[in-house]
Amino acid sequence: MLRSGKATSTTKGSEEVSAMAKAVFLRKPVDVTELKSRATRSSEGTQYVIEEIVELTQVEYDNFAANLLDDYPFIEQNLHAMYVDTNGVYHCIYVKAEGAKEGILVESEGYSYARYSAYYSEPGLLTDKIKEQILDIRDSGKYNMFDVYGVQKEAYISGFYELAVFIDGHKKEYAEFILYGK
């Protein structure tokens, strides 16, 4: 069991209050492209907790990511781990390809398909693909690279959804790459 959606906790009075990560969950999305296109404002999303990680082969993951409304045995086998608690927090599974650092959060609401899903990129992940997307926008000359919102808008328009999501949650890492290439 993994609870990587939990970021920090603080004490408020006698009860502990957790500050949790958020993701934009969509109801009945068709594929991962739809999830990525809507994932740019995770700060406006829903709090979540990852209860289980499901690793698939790359071929299995690609099929799942392209057909989220199909029924899958691995979702059915993890129904116990997916629910919404009384605080509105989504308890979900994280489905990814073996060794991948990104994938899909699923809260199936008792069904064997991805009824509620969100795109998920593991924290601090500045992949080669995201670096290429940053460089493509830089080379276009449309925006000052420190105009974070302009770059994020251009990323979205260009279909660079991974970059748009990355910038939203990792402004410090983005700035370090712009300044130092790291």
Side-chain angles (χ1 to χ4, degrees):
M1 188 180 310
L2 176 72
R3 297 182 185 272
S4 67
K6 188 176 271 189
T8 59
S9 63
T10 58
T11 303
K12 183 177 181 181
S14 61
E15 73 181 50
E16 190 173 294
V17 178
S18 296
M20 303 179 91
K22 294 182 178 182
V24 177
F25 283 84
L26 300 181
R27 183 176 184 271
K28 296 185 178 181
V30 175
D31 60 20
V32 70
T33 303
E34 183 179 355
L35 295 176
K36 288 180 178 181
S37 72
R38 301 282 300 278
T40 59
R41 295 284 175 226
S42 60
S43 60
E44 299 169 6
T46 303
Q47 292 180 330
Y48 66 89
V49 174
I50 297 173
E51 296 289 354
E52 300 287 342
I53 298 175
V54 177
E55 286 192 304
L56 306 174
T57 66
Q58 188 64 54
V59 171
E60 291 171 329
Y61 177 79
D62 290 344
N63 180 61
F64 169 67
N67 303 287
L68 295 175
L69 296 177
D70 290 353
D71 291 325
Y72 293 95
F74 63 85
I75 292 178
E76 178 127 8
Q77 293 164 0
N78 286 289
L79 290 177
H80 66 280
M82 295 177 281
Y83 60 95
V84 179
D85 68 24
T86 57
N87 294 318
V89 176
Y90 279 42
H91 294 256
C92 55
I93 61 172
Y94 170 33
V95 182
K96 65 180 190 165
E98 293 171 332
K101 300 292 183 190
E102 63 182 355
I104 300 169
L105 300 175
V106 176
E107 197 290 286
S108 70
E109 205 172 60
Y111 296 91
S112 58
Y113 69 94
R115 188 171 179 93
Y116 288 92
S117 302
Y119 171 73
Y120 178 73
S121 178
E122 293 179 13
L125 182 66
L126 181 59
T127 64
D128 289 339
K129 183 176 184 179
I130 292 173
K131 289 177 185 178
E132 287 175 23
Q133 292 172 349
I134 292 170
L135 296 175
D136 283 350
I137 291 174
R138 181 197 68 188
D139 293 345
S140 76
K142 291 182 180 178
Y143 291 93
N144 176 323
M145 297 307 288
F146 291 107
D147 176 3
V148 175
Y149 297 108
V151 172
Q152 197 171 25
K153 176 183 170 187
E154 183 62 26
Y156 183 79
I157 291 168
S158 300
F160 298 161
Y161 305 123
E162 297 86 353
L163 174 57
V165 171
F166 178 80
I167 291 173
D168 194 43
H170 305 93
K171 288 180 178 61
K172 179 181 176 191
E173 292 89 344
Y174 169 77
E176 286 177 357
F177 180 73
I178 296 303
L179 287 170
Y180 308 114
K182 298 178 187 178

